[in-house]
Amino acid sequence: MGLSRRHFSALAGTAVLGLALGGSADGACAWAAPAPPAGPPRADRRRHTVGFDRHSLLVDGRRLVLWSGELHPFRLPSPSLWRDVLEKMRAHGYNAVSIYVSWNYHSPAPGRYDFTGIRDLDLFLRTAAETGLYVLLRPGPYINAEIDAGGFPGWLTATKGTARTADPTYLAHADEWLTRVNEIVAGHQYTRGTGTVLLYQIENEYDAFVAEPTGPAYMSHLYRKVRADGIDVPLFHNDKGRNGYWLPGSFDTGGEKGRWLYGFDGYPSPSQDPPDWGRFGPGGVTGGASASPDTPGFVPEFGGGWFDPWGGVWFKKKGYAESRRTRDAAYERRFYLTNLANGITLHNVYMTFGGTSWGWLPAPVVYTSYDYGAAFDEGRNATAKLVPMHQLGHLLQRVPDFAVLERAEDVTAAGLKVYHLTNPETGAHVHVLRNDSAAPVTSTLPVDGADLPVTVPARDARLLASGLRLGRRRMRYSTAQPMLALTAARREIVVLTGRRDEPTVTALECAERPTVTVLDGSAEHRWADGLLTVEARLGGLTRVAVSGDGVATPLLLLLADDETSLRLWPRDTPSGTVLAHGPHLVRSVTLEGTTARFTGDTVTPAGLEVWAPRGVEELEWNGARVATERTASGSLRAARELPGPAPVRLPALGGWRRRSGNPEAEPGHDDSGWRRADLTASHSTTPVPAGQPVLFADDYGFHYGDVWYRARLTGDTDARSVSLAYSTGTQGLLMAWLDGRPLGTHRMPVPGNSTIRQGTWTATAEFPVPDADRAGAPRVLSVLVRRMQHDQDGKALDTHKAARGLTAVTFDGAGPEVSWRLQGEPAADPVRGPQNTGGLHGERAGWHLPGFDDGGWQRAELPRADRGQGVTWYRTTFTLAVDAATDASVGLVLDDDPERAYRVQIFLNGWNMGQYINDVGPQHTFVLPNGILRTRGTNTLALAVLSDGTTESGPARVALTLLGAAAGGVPVAPVPSPGP
């Protein structure tokens, strides 16, 4: 064991001193028991109050510590799967979900808004309420979020007025957006009892014009607008860093007071020590929570990972696996516990599920995957990072002492940073011990007259509590972390957790000599002078039963290592509390008569054990009766393991058909229906070259994907070279042809550390002009530009309006007369939305859609080794037959020689699932979300391959891969995939 017999006895001997200082002779706590915390919300049709004081939120007068996770519905374009992720979050200890609502996702054109299908905000909010999660709603108007234009719609780039200011033109557009959002949101506010929207954010990371009149005027306008629309929950802003911007009283709220929260975000690097952004920090307006001492500490975004740029320079080209490794569970414990110690009781983890920036959603700084290294990966799988979220989330919901903590006298433990806090209402003490070194530290911590032995792993942290009221008993101290306390199966159950193989000692006050039975695992126990001390090394689930200690209700003490704690599932029902153990996930619990009905998931065969209220004698799992036996700990245990998922067999992809896809390059192509480039002025921040027409794609209504240009050259056409100036986001490219002959391709460079955040890239491609067949003959110049989306305008400088596409064209050695036409994406897909379809010929002709007749296309085999500049399309179909009771997450893998220069736009059943750049990376696997993917049916896969002609190009390996499988899941409705 971890403690010597001498040290064990010494700890037990501190009982007399401890009782004299604050214990009680009958096992009851000498201080007042805390009021019960606010419970899980639901749309109960009852009015509720939402307020706050300096410690925490107050919901109906009861304290609420907010433990929230960020999820973006627009990054999971299958509404059935919203429920899947929300249920997983709820089960793993989150009590809230934070969502952005992105203006560009819902508005394909001025005055047009779509909140149906995958954009059904009402459905998402209903689902969150049904799941039992509060909602933090963040509709902008600006959101950033590493999404195109920071969430501004493409059409806004071609309007006058300065965004994110009090400019009346911009405000008129923003008001229209907020009106449409708030028409939906108002009916989902928790204050009305018709939903669970708890807090509402106006603007995001707005650090511009703070000291100028337009900034406060803009914030005041948004505040009043939202209130006028019937939003009555507290409002907040997310300060970009800790600037103390937009504190209560910093702008006019129309006389309303006490309804505005200051919040700030933070994404500290794992290489730095966790910062003190609160009561242990420097204080003042730049000190984080200290900036607003009368409101609770609030972090609307705290790093639950980090995004990865094109080329992957931040994570050594290893992608999000490296993000998850460097920001792992130990990182989360160190940083999140430091936040808790600093008084932050509103905590939102960005991201908790990152998802996919499919189609043309991503901002220039990121590629398709937005996995983020989050606790749930892009394939919706739980990761090891969930351990601290699961443990702390359940702790903060079920042990109310943590809602009111004040700084206590300093305590030292050699080699560790120690935060000491106390609850002045209950007398409980909390210690956060942090190890910032690269080696484990073993030390002693003075607690309640005892020197507790503690070991903290390298660059990790732990939370210890003493004087904590757990049900009817008081825990004097423990070197294990409390996770939950509840009553079920006619006993009080306390769960303590820690690292595997960690020695622990726990002391409980007992007025009488208890009867102690070690039911499972190995533990030593001793009672002396009113204190029961239990020593155990963590591994699996150690069970210690305690009774006869002066408390009528017996106690079951469960000591769980981290992995085991992830398989403990508390759930409240109208008939009482249930605790389940064993499965990979418990989604729901319903008590009906003598039966407890569970829904949930298993990824391998797993046991099921349930502590339930009196009278429950039978169990069902996913609708099937489970044979059970009663255990000595009062639980019902399944006599046999629950089955795991059925095998998932994925077919090899073959039967490809192939067709060239750039007829626009041919001189005889009919472009008469294209938009004539006849504008002479623009609202873009990019100047229009003197003497040339506006060529910027946005000015002609083309906002997403590729854009084609064709110029007819007449007169003096014998130029030596042509210079094509263009502007794109990261990794944009330009291809040019003259009279059908390739001139060449130009690509923007791969970003490095200093240019990752560069949102707009400009360059001039200069190509020599081949001799014409006839001197002075008319010629046709064709140009394809892959624009790679708009800058995010993070500094409120209208940089989302920087031009995309060609900006200027000059000829050396000649002065031809030039007549330009351009063509981009067609009208927005009514189902898939504006970001799905670009301006490639195949997209405009429906080659990406299921049902398109490709029978006349050439048959092809992969891998390919083609050479040539331009666009080539590949199509095939495949059929899946996944067992109906299995939730299979499937991905598409593309891989090739990294020296080959080409990129692929991936379409599944007509849905644009993202972009692969073979020689840049780092992404090779693309998630195919169920609902869009027919897991029991036939699917159409189309690949649009752009090759620059400098190397042989593929595609080479294209294969399906299984990302995860579970028996269970949620029912998935097919997302519409209309064909031509």
Side-chain angles (χ1 to χ4, degrees):
M1 301 297 291
L3 302 179
S4 68
R5 176 68 61 185
R6 180 175 60 83
H7 201 159
F8 184 82
S9 299
L11 286 172
T14 64
V16 175
L17 176 60
L19 284 168
L21 292 176
S24 63
D26 60 0
C29 182
W31 295 287
R42 58 191 180 94
D44 55 9
R45 299 289 170 178
R46 298 171 54 193
R47 291 280 178 173
H48 297 277
T49 62
V50 181
F52 52 84
D53 63 12
R54 65 189 180 92
H55 293 293
S56 72
L57 290 176
L58 295 167
V59 177
D60 296 330
R62 297 164 66 183
R63 294 202 175 276
L64 175 69
V65 178
L66 205 68
W67 203 244
S68 172
E70 189 85 9
L71 180 160
H72 298 154
F74 54 81
R75 285 189 163 114
L76 186 57
S78 178
S80 299
L81 299 183
W82 297 343
R83 182 177 298 275
D84 174 68
V85 179
L86 290 171
E87 288 184 349
K88 288 173 177 174
M89 290 174 60
R90 175 76 174 85
H92 279 290
Y94 295 86
N95 61 5
V97 59
S98 171
I99 66 166
Y100 278 133
V101 188
S102 191
W103 188 357
N104 62 9
Y105 194 63
H106 295 273
S107 183
R112 290 178 53 196
Y113 294 90
D114 182 3
F115 289 93
T116 64
I118 62 170
R119 294 165 175 78
D120 193 338
L121 177 61
D122 181 78
L123 173 61
F124 182 90
L125 296 177
R126 292 200 314 270
T127 305
E130 291 165 4
T131 307
L133 291 170
Y134 293 104
V135 177
L136 282 66
L137 196 95
R138 308 206 288 159
Y142 175 82
I143 65 171
N144 188 284
E146 286 75 58
I147 194 171
D148 178 49
F152 286 150
W155 56 261
L156 194 70
T157 64
T159 62
K160 66 177 182 178
T162 303
R164 308 183 74 190
T165 70
D167 182 288
T169 302
Y170 165 72
L171 289 181
H173 292 307
D175 282 355
E176 184 178 78
W177 160 243
L178 292 173
T179 295
R180 297 302 299 271
V181 172
N182 293 338
E183 286 173 348
I184 298 169
V185 174
H188 287 275
Q189 295 179 91
Y190 193 56
T191 47
R192 298 186 183 183
T194 51
T196 58
V197 173
L198 188 75
L199 302 174
Y200 183 112
Q201 177 176 309
I202 62 171
E203 252 288 349
N204 184 62
E205 298 182 329
Y206 186 54
D207 58 358
F209 312 113
V210 177
E212 301 176 33
T214 192
Y218 174 46
M219 292 293 285
S220 179
H221 177 92
L222 294 178
Y223 192 103
R224 292 171 184 241
K225 166 62 180 170
V226 169
R227 286 293 187 236
D229 285 346
I231 304 301
D232 58 21
V233 297
L235 307 181
F236 69 97
H237 169 266
N238 175 37
D239 193 2
K240 186 179 182 180
R242 290 135 308 281
N243 304 298
Y245 294 159
W246 314 120
L247 294 168
S250 61
F251 62 93
D252 182 11
T253 58
E256 184 176 71
K257 296 181 179 179
R259 305 292 290 161
W260 175 255
L261 286 161
Y262 172 70
F264 60 92
D265 63 18
Y267 293 88
S269 166
S271 63
Q272 72 181 88
D273 293 342
D276 290 319
W277 289 335
R279 61 169 63 97
F280 287 90
V285 295
T286 61
S290 64
S292 182
D294 295 327
T295 63
F298 184 11
V299 183
E301 295 180 23
F302 194 86
W306 190 240
F307 67 82
D308 197 24
W310 283 108
V313 66
W314 273 341
F315 295 116
K316 305 176 183 178
K317 299 187 177 182
K318 297 178 181 179
Y320 283 112
E322 185 69 2
S323 175
R324 188 170 285 109
R325 187 192 69 80
T326 55
R327 291 166 171 81
D328 59 3
Y331 166 91
E332 291 185 321
R333 274 190 294 270
R334 279 207 307 150
F335 285 79
Y336 300 168
L337 287 176
T338 298
N339 285 351
L340 184 65
N342 275 277
I344 293 168
T345 58
L346 286 76
H347 194 283
N348 180 53
V349 178
Y350 189 108
M351 298 292 296
T352 290
F353 170 79
T356 306
S357 298
W358 59 280
W360 296 107
L361 280 172
V365 294
V366 291
Y367 47 87
T368 296
S369 176
Y370 200 67
D371 177 281
Y372 218 80
F376 294 97
D377 68 21
E378 191 180 359
R380 299 178 288 112
N381 300 300
T383 72
K385 286 183 62 167
L386 273 169
V387 168
M389 300 307 298
H390 184 90
Q391 294 172 350
L392 289 170
H394 288 302
L395 171 69
L396 296 173
Q397 290 183 55
R398 295 189 176 271
V399 182
D401 298 74
F402 291 86
V404 181
L405 293 176
E406 299 283 0
R407 184 169 181 172
E409 68 274 10
D410 290 342
V411 175
T412 60
L416 300 172
K417 183 174 180 63
V418 180
Y419 299 91
H420 181 203
L421 305 116
T422 187
N423 184 315
E425 300 171 357
T426 68
H429 288 257
V430 173
H431 294 84
V432 172
L433 288 75
R434 207 178 75 210
N435 179 6
D436 295 328
S437 73
V441 171
T442 297
S443 187
T444 58
L445 178 73
V447 174
D448 208 350
D451 290 326
L452 297 184
V454 290
T455 298
V456 183
R459 302 187 70 77
D460 207 334
R462 59 189 307 161
L463 180 149
L464 304 183
S466 59
L468 199 63
R469 185 79 177 199
L470 299 173
R472 295 176 179 85
R473 292 170 175 84
R474 182 171 178 264
M475 184 181 76
R476 180 72 60 80
Y477 53 74
S478 179
T479 60
Q481 176 177 304
M483 175 175 148
L484 56 85
L486 52 81
T487 299
R490 288 175 280 186
R491 65 204 67 220
E492 293 183 337
I493 302 175
V494 171
V495 177
L496 305 174
T497 67
R499 313 297 85 77
R500 189 174 184 84
D501 293 326
E502 192 171 74
T504 65
V505 59
T506 301
L508 298 171
E509 294 177 358
C510 299
E512 302 173 10
R513 179 183 294 275
T515 299
V516 182
T517 306
V518 179
L519 301 174
D520 282 295
S522 177
E524 297 181 15
H525 56 88
R526 174 170 302 189
W527 180 81
D529 300 317
L531 200 68
L532 170 65
T533 308
V534 178
E535 181 187 7
R537 186 178 293 275
L538 296 181
L541 192 63
T542 299
R543 308 158 192 249
V544 180
V546 179
S547 61
D549 59 338
V551 178
T553 306
L555 170 70
L556 179 63
L557 179 64
L558 301 179
L559 296 159
D561 62 20
D562 286 343
E563 183 177 357
T564 303
S565 75
L566 279 175
R567 302 294 170 257
L568 288 167
W569 308 103
R571 200 71 179 219
D572 295 320
T573 78
S575 301
T577 301
V578 174
L579 178 65
H581 169 235
H584 184 74
L585 178 70
V586 169
R587 294 180 180 272
S588 68
V589 183
T590 304
L591 302 185
E592 294 184 10
T594 61
T595 302
R597 294 185 169 91
F598 290 81
T599 64
D601 297 359
T602 57
V603 297
T604 59
L608 174 63
E609 183 177 10
V610 176
W611 290 269
R614 182 192 301 268
V616 173
E617 299 294 337
E618 298 169 329
L619 302 180
E620 285 186 6
W621 177 258
N622 289 341
R625 183 62 60 88
V626 177
T628 62
E629 56 192 17
R630 184 68 68 175
T631 73
S633 65
S635 63
L636 285 173
R637 180 182 290 162
R640 293 181 299 275
E641 287 187 322
L642 306 175
V648 178
R649 296 178 176 86
L650 301 178
L653 298 178
W656 294 94
R657 291 184 178 271
R658 175 175 179 267
R659 183 174 178 179
S660 175
N662 44 267
E664 297 91 342
E666 298 302 320
H669 182 71
D670 181 8
D671 59 16
S672 60
W674 290 23
R675 181 73 162 84
R676 188 184 300 275
D678 54 7
L679 298 177
T680 58
S682 171
H683 296 299
S684 172
T685 56
T686 303
V688 179
Q692 296 199 34
V694 174
L695 295 175
F696 315 155
D698 287 298
D699 286 77
Y700 297 95
F702 304 127
H703 307 301
Y704 303 108
D706 301 285
V707 61
W708 275 98
Y709 295 84
R710 283 171 57 87
R712 297 187 183 279
L713 314 180
T714 57
D716 183 9
T717 62
D718 298 330
R720 291 187 294 271
S721 65
V722 58
S723 296
L724 304 170
Y726 72 117
S727 176
T728 72
T730 308
Q731 281 301 285
L733 65 73
L734 174 151
M735 295 179 177
W737 293 259
L738 186 63
D739 299 333
R741 290 180 286 183
L743 293 179
T745 297
H746 185 279
R747 297 172 54 173
M748 298 296 181
V750 179
N753 276 318
S754 62
T755 54
I756 283 171
R757 294 183 180 275
Q758 183 175 323
T760 293
W761 299 68
T762 59
T764 299
E766 184 173 342
F767 301 116
V769 172
D771 293 336
D773 294 333
R774 292 183 297 109
R779 313 193 75 173
V780 176
L781 175 65
S782 302
V783 181
L784 173 64
V785 179
R786 174 149 289 186
R787 301 175 309 168
M788 302 297 286
Q789 299 317 93
H790 306 89
D791 185 33
Q792 294 181 97
D793 195 25
K795 295 186 178 299
L797 298 174
D798 260 1
T799 55
H800 64 291
K801 292 184 177 180
R804 290 296 183 261
L806 284 179
T807 55
V809 180
T810 57
F811 298 88
D812 181 39
E817 296 181 8
V818 184
S819 175
W820 284 100
R821 291 181 181 269
L822 69 162
Q823 177 66 56
E825 75 271 21
D829 186 315
V831 174
R832 302 176 182 93
Q835 288 86 14
N836 190 75
T837 311
L840 294 178
H841 178 83
E843 293 175 286
R844 306 196 313 271
W847 295 2
H848 61 303
L849 298 174
F852 177 81
D853 183 6
D854 58 14
W857 289 23
Q858 177 185 359
R859 294 186 181 275
E861 298 293 333
L862 301 185
R864 297 292 300 183
D866 300 330
R867 184 187 290 271
Q869 174 180 293
V871 184
T872 306
W873 283 77
Y874 296 82
R875 283 174 56 94
T876 191
T877 60
F878 62 91
T879 301
L880 299 180
V882 177
D883 179 79
T886 297
D887 176 12
S889 180
V890 178
L892 184 74
V893 176
L894 291 90
D895 206 4
D896 202 348
D897 179 347
E899 297 301 316
R900 292 185 173 189
Y902 68 93
R903 58 186 66 192
V904 181
Q905 207 68 28
I906 301 164
F907 295 89
L908 175 69
N909 296 326
W911 292 83
N912 183 343
M913 297 316 302
Q915 181 175 193
Y916 167 75
I917 305 184
N918 182 68
D919 55 335
V920 174
Q923 184 175 6
H924 289 270
T925 300
F926 294 78
V927 173
L928 308 177
N930 297 348
I932 290 177
L933 178 72
R934 309 295 192 243
T935 58
R936 295 178 61 79
T938 299
N939 299 272
T940 299
L941 181 64
L943 308 177
V945 180
L946 276 69
S947 304
D948 67 11
T950 61
T951 69
E952 289 185 339
S953 65
R957 177 176 176 245
V958 181
L960 300 174
T961 186
L962 184 64
L963 303 174
V970 298
V972 177
V975 180
S977 293

